[in-house]
Amino acid sequence: KAVVSTQSGHYGRGDHFTIIAFSLSLKMRFLLLCCVVLIRNGRCDEQVVASAIQDAIFGGGDPILGSSGDSSTQHLSLDDLSMLSLGSARQLSDYYHPEHYENLPFIEPCPAVSCHLSLAIVMDSSASVGNANFQLQLSFVQTLIEILTLKAADSGVEVCIGVVSYSSDVEVVVDPCCSNSFCKVVEQFSHGNVQYNPGSTNTNGALKVARQMIQAPRSIKRQVLLITDGKSNTGGSPVEFAREMRMHDDVGIVAFGVTDGVQESELSGISGMGFVTRIETFDDFHETAVWLLQSNAILPDDLFNSFEEYCRPDMSTFSNVCAREAEVEPVTEPLPPVTEAPKVECQWHFTTPCAPKGKKKNRKNKNKNKKCFTYGDCHDQYGSVVEADVKHECVCPETEEDNVAISLGDSFVLGGDDSIILGA
């Protein structure tokens, strides 16, 4: 602890703390190895926690710490992930949802979102934490996200991040499906939009929401970071559910406690590690953050300036409401081709003479009110008989001088509307 002197505040701001011997990296690495050896005596907790987080999220942590995951994907660093195509990201077929009676948030799948790393951060907001310590926790998580922002950008890695705050109830702070930029996620912390909600410690419920978060998008690697100040006291034991997450979903879990009040068996049961990661007080978040900065070769001033520069062109807005399915263009059935109605030609074989219509006669025009009929067969354009022995009324001349018999063989054409068109 003589190596680092800190004051309260955000770890990414150089004017909030001073690193006295930041360059003594070899000595600090030696101290870390000593800490691992002496971990059961509770010494050097901050370095152990930082190394566990480094290995789980960034990669390149001390391998002596082991890992909570059984799959090789849990050991992939950001550089390793950058070599993999997002096409290899997958979504679990057996999607988990809590029971309705548990009154936990439901997070629907978002198969349209793909990422190399799916990360869920779970923060304890129970009454025993207190508002002041909760703010220190927020500051640490903010620094962690800022480091991840720069490292992911350098590696070209897509990260889906979800954040949960819990006490008796569980609140979704950041929905991983909404594709919010890291800049806007950090603003939720820096602008005071993450509220302290005291209550009991429902760690099991918080993990159930975190499980939905890391399952929702298509991912290659899945990690959960749990921060708590004590043992769970409502919602049931989280140990068995955490084991199911690790085994079924291939999830790595880093669970570290704050203060001596944590139940070590519960923490190690959640993470699956053979040892407990914890820090003595919330003030130790400062030193943990310093170790993370050094592990990623970032100076505090560089973190602040680089993050500000990275976010300057970001004009997006934050939202926890977003579409869950992939946008699919509507499929329109093609309209049937427009075809002309077939034309039918009729050959008339016999025509009757003009005869009066009924008994009434027109004295001035003897042919007026007379009628005649033609008989014949109708064929389509292919020569097939459409209708045989057709009878059709024809028009008589209006004057007796024009009363000319209609010759056999005259042709008429039936149009598409089945009307008869007289032809010469």
Side-chain angles (χ1 to χ4, degrees):
K1 293 185 178 179
V3 177
V4 179
S5 173
T6 66
Q7 299 177 10
S8 61
H10 183 55
Y11 321 111
R13 278 56 176 167
D15 56 345
H16 286 178
F17 69 94
T18 303
I19 299 179
I20 298 175
F22 194 88
S23 61
L24 299 179
S25 58
L26 292 178
K27 180 177 179 181
M28 296 183 79
R29 291 177 186 273
F30 174 75
L31 288 174
L32 175 57
L33 293 176
C34 293
C35 292
V36 174
V37 174
L38 300 175
I39 186 172
R40 293 190 181 278
N41 295 328
R43 299 177 61 181
C44 302
D45 296 325
E46 303 87 355
Q47 295 90 331
V48 174
V49 170
S51 188
I53 296 174
Q54 178 70 25
D55 181 56
I57 299 177
F58 302 94
D62 199 313
I64 196 171
L65 293 177
S67 173
S68 63
D70 293 335
S71 169
S72 59
T73 61
Q74 302 308 321
H75 298 282
L76 293 175
S77 67
L78 294 183
D79 289 336
D80 294 333
L81 290 172
S82 68
M83 304 298 292
L84 301 177
S85 168
L86 282 178
S88 60
R90 63 185 180 90
Q91 192 170 43
L92 300 177
S93 56
D94 187 12
Y95 191 81
Y96 170 79
H97 263 323
E99 300 294 337
H100 287 278
Y101 66 82
E102 295 179 282
N103 294 321
L104 295 172
F106 273 50
I107 300 178
E108 297 297 335
C110 47
V113 180
S114 297
C115 46
H116 295 92
L117 169 64
S118 182
L119 172 65
I121 300 176
V122 184
M123 303 182 301
D124 190 345
S125 176
S126 58
S128 56
V129 171
N131 185 53
N133 288 333
F134 185 71
Q135 300 307 316
L136 293 175
Q137 186 179 185
L138 293 181
S139 185
F140 171 75
V141 173
Q142 178 180 338
T143 300
L144 173 63
I145 296 175
E146 289 179 350
I147 297 173
L148 181 57
T149 301
L150 300 182
K151 300 300 290 186
D154 289 343
S155 301
V157 168
E158 294 292 333
V159 179
C160 300
I161 186 168
V163 181
V164 174
S165 175
Y166 78 99
S167 55
S168 302
D169 299 322
V170 183
E171 178 188 358
V172 176
V173 178
V174 179
D175 187 327
C177 290
C178 291
S179 301
N180 292 300
S181 69
F182 280 116
C183 304
K184 299 308 172 184
V185 171
V186 166
E187 281 186 2
Q188 299 305 298
F189 292 83
S190 61
H191 292 180
N193 295 334
V194 185
Q195 301 298 317
Y196 171 61
N197 296 309
S200 301
T201 309
N202 186 7
T203 306
N204 195 33
L207 288 178
K208 290 180 177 180
V209 177
R211 185 179 186 181
Q212 297 175 82
M213 284 186 168
I214 51 94
Q215 283 186 342
R218 301 172 62 88
S219 308
I220 299 176
K221 179 179 177 179
R222 298 175 177 86
Q223 286 287 341
V224 173
L225 173 62
L226 168 67
I227 307 172
T228 180
D229 79 324
K231 67 177 182 179
S232 58
N233 52 28
T234 187
S237 172
V239 173
E240 182 59 29
F241 186 80
R243 187 194 68 81
E244 182 180 346
M245 289 175 63
R246 299 195 314 271
M247 299 300 105
H248 181 272
D249 298 349
D250 189 23
V251 177
I253 304 177
V254 175
F256 74 89
V258 186
T259 75
D260 293 330
V262 298
Q263 187 175 19
E264 296 188 353
S265 61
E266 182 174 284
L267 284 182
S268 61
I270 291 173
S271 66
M273 295 180 178
F275 56 89
V276 176
T277 51
R278 67 175 179 85
I279 55 179
E280 294 181 3
T281 67
F282 281 90
D283 287 333
D284 292 336
F285 273 130
H286 299 289
E287 295 183 36
T288 305
V290 169
W291 276 88
L292 280 175
L293 286 167
Q294 187 200 14
S295 297
N296 290 282
I298 300 176
L299 292 171
D301 283 336
D302 290 343
L303 176 65
F304 174 74
N305 296 330
S306 298
F307 187 79
E308 290 291 318
E309 182 179 355
Y310 176 85
C311 291
R312 188 171 295 114
D314 188 350
M315 303 303 293
S316 63
T317 57
F318 179 86
S319 176
N320 257 350
V321 179
C322 50
R324 317 307 288 192
E325 299 294 336
E327 294 184 2
V328 180
E329 294 184 1
V331 178
T332 331
E333 292 293 336
L335 296 175
V338 179
T339 57
E340 295 182 359
K343 292 185 178 181
V344 178
E345 185 175 297
C346 300
Q347 294 291 330
W348 306 104
H349 307 304
F350 176 74
T351 304
T352 64
C354 292
K357 294 181 181 179
K359 296 182 180 180
K360 186 175 180 181
K361 296 181 180 180
N362 190 326
R363 296 178 181 272
K364 295 182 179 180
N365 188 347
K366 295 182 179 181
N367 280 346
K368 195 171 183 180
N369 297 325
K370 290 184 179 182
K371 61 182 178 180
C372 62
F373 293 95
T374 59
Y375 297 87
D377 299 323
C378 297
H379 306 264
D380 61 18
Q381 64 264 43
Y382 305 107
S384 301
V385 177
V386 176
E387 192 172 0
D389 298 327
V390 179
K391 177 184 177 182
H392 181 70
E393 183 178 350
C394 56
V395 180
C396 290
E398 293 187 2
T399 63
E400 194 166 346
E401 291 78 10
D402 295 331
N403 188 6
V404 180
I406 302 177
S407 303
L408 293 177
D410 287 351
S411 63
F412 301 85
V413 178
L414 287 174
D417 57 355
D418 294 330
S419 63
I420 299 293
I421 302 175
L422 298 179

